Amino acid sequence: DVNLIKAALCAGLNPRVVRVQHPVTTYHKAQHGSIAKDNSSHELKYFTKQRSGRVFIHPASVNFHVGKYESPFLVYNEKIMTTKPFLSMVTLGTGISRWCLAQQFVQTQTGTVSSD
């Protein structure tokens, strides 16, 4: 099961979480309304919780050209520092694993996170 494998990857790589910031959605005018513009991979921004802050997907990664992710959180295996900090071996989590990863980026007054 692919979802089980992704959940296991997320659990094993839990400290290595990156937050994906999608750009503001823009629209094209169409004959019967408007259509959301597809984002390019260069418009996405990635941030880690660690001191490095903003990071980038390595050009050799299969996810380098991805313009939109289902989740605002990804996990990575390796961070490489060359001209700037690059991430390699990046994957998207699913379901409960994404919720668990999101807790690292959520700050609350009571210290608890709940979901509907």
Side-chain angles (χ1 to χ4, degrees):
D1 184 18
V2 174
N3 289 336
L4 181 62
I5 293 170
K6 286 183 179 182
L9 280 171
C10 288
L13 298 172
N14 193 9
R16 297 178 180 156
V17 179
V18 62
R19 178 177 54 87
V20 180
Q21 181 179 325
H22 291 89
V24 175
T25 304
T26 56
Y27 297 89
H28 292 290
K29 194 173 189 178
Q31 185 176 358
H32 299 288
S34 58
I35 300 171
K37 178 187 164 206
D38 291 334
N39 298 326
S40 78
S41 60
H42 299 289
E43 295 174 301
L44 298 178
K45 294 181 181 177
Y46 306 93
F47 298 93
T48 61
K49 183 98 172 165
Q50 293 85 14
R51 287 178 273 144
S52 57
R54 186 167 179 201
V55 292
F56 303 85
I57 302 291
H58 195 275
S61 173
V62 294
N63 290 319
F64 181 71
H65 295 289
V66 174
K68 184 177 181 180
Y69 293 98
E70 297 171 17
S71 170
F73 301 101
L74 305 172
V75 292
Y76 63 94
N77 184 41
E78 185 177 33
K79 189 186 318 181
I80 305 163
M81 186 63 180
T82 56
T83 56
K84 49 188 169 182
F86 285 104
L87 304 179
S88 66
M89 298 183 223
V90 179
T91 190
L92 173 71
T94 59
I96 192 70
S97 60
R98 279 187 272 181
W99 187 84
C100 292
L101 296 174
Q103 292 182 52
Q104 291 186 15
F105 288 91
V106 176
Q107 296 179 357
T108 65
Q109 292 178 0
T110 62
T112 61
V113 178
S114 62
S115 178
D116 293 342

